Amino acid sequence: MRRLLFAIALLVSAGGMIRADEPAKPVKLLIITGDTHPAHDWKATTPALREVLSEKGRIDVDVTSTPAKDLTPENLAKYDVFLLNYLNFKKPGESPETTWTDANKAAFLKAIHDDGKGLVVIHHASGSFTRPNWVEFEKAVGGWRTQGFHGPAHQFTVKKSAESHPISVGAPAEFAHATDELYQNSLLPPGSVVLATAYSDPAKPKGTGKDEAVIWVSTYGKGRVFENVLGHDVATINDPGFQTWTRRGTLWAATGKVAPEVK
Ligand SMILES: [Zn+2]
């Protein structure tokens, strides 16, 4: 009996592995963007994210800059994972094609919570929908919201935490990140697992003297959520450390696993 159980355990673990010689079908990602925030130029960062994530053919990337048209149940069903490079920032009525309707919001949350689609949240996107606060979005995403803050952009080291996680396996133990904003006091949804931190030097303006969470994962219903507060601009997206973490996080959010060799 013990031998049989051992054989079954071996089969189960082999079935859960991605073999290096097995070409995996690319996952389908939709980048959601479109509003122009004065500090965050989506027209520059979106092509950079698209290039980083589609490299090596593991991820097929589509982009919508008209979420009012494209956040429908039928369209969202085509994807495995969504990436928010979006912060709703406009005057009421200014930009109907980028303004999420109640139907868009319901379709987005349902796709993650009920249908198990993955979600990747980059940098400023966790500051979306705070006025008024969209409570369910906050439960799914956490992050910047209204309590977050940062000092002047600077170079800092991003360190992998001790938590064991499929995303972390192939990620660097630490990397010296390009000049970026260090988000502090982020709101972590219940059950979040912090995968990487950066020390906020108290000698710098607004420094907290704490290891601040910069990359974490959580779940929202059936959906996996990967959050990376790095990525203010194209230079930060071009940082190899950012790229490895974000590729691995996107694949995990889409499928729940990542081949160890993905960099
Ligand atoms: Zn920023």
Side-chain angles (χ1 to χ4, degrees):
M1 188 60 184
R2 190 179 291 173
R3 197 176 293 168
L4 178 65
L5 285 176
F6 181 65
I8 290 170
L10 267 183
L11 276 172
V12 169
S13 65
M17 280 168 61
I18 303 169
R19 295 210 316 267
D21 56 351
E22 212 174 79
K25 201 168 138 242
V27 302
K28 289 196 63 74
L29 166 70
L30 179 64
I31 297 180
I32 300 167
T33 189
D35 272 5
T36 300
H37 179 264
H40 299 109
D41 180 4
W42 70 267
K43 288 180 183 169
T45 54
T46 300
L49 286 165
R50 175 177 217 153
E51 194 179 322
V52 163
L53 291 168
S54 55
E55 206 182 283
K56 317 237 167 85
R58 291 188 177 91
I59 305 173
D60 277 347
V61 184
D62 284 347
V63 173
T64 174
S65 56
T66 53
K69 179 165 76 70
D70 293 325
L71 300 193
T72 62
E74 300 72 31
N75 191 45
L76 296 180
K78 297 175 195 165
Y79 296 94
D80 303 303
V81 56
F82 314 123
L83 183 151
L84 288 178
N85 184 29
Y86 179 86
L87 198 163
N88 61 318
F89 190 86
K90 56 196 164 284
K91 297 186 190 86
E94 186 179 48
S95 173
E97 70 278 12
T98 66
T99 303
W100 298 26
T101 63
D102 288 348
N104 294 144
K105 290 180 176 182
F108 174 77
L109 287 184
K110 183 185 170 295
I112 299 161
H113 189 279
D114 296 356
D115 303 333
K117 308 293 185 184
L119 177 63
V120 176
V121 183
I122 297 292
H123 194 61
H124 63 305
S126 68
S128 298
F129 307 114
T130 55
R131 293 188 181 86
N133 190 28
W134 178 10
V135 175
E136 279 303 308
F137 180 84
E138 184 167 289
K139 274 192 209 166
V141 168
W144 179 269
R145 312 314 295 150
T146 53
Q147 84 299 326
F149 64 96
H150 65 75
H154 62 286
Q155 291 184 304
F156 50 88
T157 300
V158 176
K159 281 185 242 162
K160 182 153 80 174
S161 73
E163 292 293 338
S164 168
H165 191 277
I167 297 172
S168 307
V169 172
E174 62 175 59
F175 67 96
H177 186 41
T179 298
D180 201 346
E181 293 162 345
L182 175 51
Y183 279 16
Q184 301 170 139
N185 200 32
S186 290
L187 178 70
L188 302 191
S192 293
V193 179
V194 175
L195 302 185
T197 61
Y199 179 66
S200 172
D201 183 350
K204 293 193 186 301
K206 297 193 182 176
T208 61
K210 294 181 188 164
D211 284 324
E212 298 286 345
V214 293
I215 295 172
W216 66 87
V217 290
S218 61
T219 53
Y220 179 66
K222 291 185 187 169
R224 287 173 291 271
V225 181
F226 171 79
E227 182 126 354
N228 181 355
V229 307
L230 309 173
H232 172 75
D233 58 13
V234 172
T236 60
I237 291 167
N238 285 337
D239 185 313
F242 174 95
Q243 296 184 3
T244 297
W245 276 103
T246 308
R247 283 195 199 101
R248 297 188 61 78
T250 302
L251 289 166
W252 174 81
T255 67
K257 46 195 176 184
V258 199
E261 68 270 19
V262 174
K263 294 292 176 208

